[in-house]
Amino acid sequence: LLAELQRDAGPPEAPVLMTSTLHRTLFGAAAGLDKLVFEPAAGVAAYYDLAQDPEERANRIDAAPERVAPLACQLSTVARKP
């Protein structure tokens, strides 16, 4: 996935929105090399800069609010759906 994102270089027209309910409910949004994940039950959100951290080890949500905000807006539309 990272190789595909790097090849495309620029962010897509709209973020890719994801949901997972396998073991716990997670919502995610990715645009370009930015990824935001939210776990509502725990009230935890994580932002990853995949260019710098492809293994998603460092949550940088407080370090890059200008990159988190657009993803959070997109993610809120998915998280509100029943």
Side-chain angles (χ1 to χ4, degrees), residues 1-81:
L1 176 62
L2 180 59
E4 290 178 34
L5 292 172
Q6 288 174 328
R7 181 187 61 220
D8 293 340
E13 288 293 315
V16 175
L17 302 173
M18 306 161 272
T19 61
S20 172
T21 56
L22 185 59
H23 298 290
R24 60 186 190 240
T25 300
L26 298 172
F27 299 102
L33 294 173
D34 294 325
K35 182 177 178 183
L36 181 65
V37 179
F38 176 59
E39 183 178 356
V44 175
Y47 163 75
Y48 302 102
D49 177 348
L50 299 176
Q52 302 297 318
D53 182 20
E55 295 178 358
E56 300 177 14
R57 295 178 188 243
N59 181 356
R60 298 188 36 83
I61 198 159
D62 294 326
E66 73 286 352
R67 294 173 75 175
V68 171
L71 291 172
C73 286
Q74 291 293 324
L75 192 56
S76 69
T77 65
V78 173
R80 283 189 290 220
K81 291 183 180 179

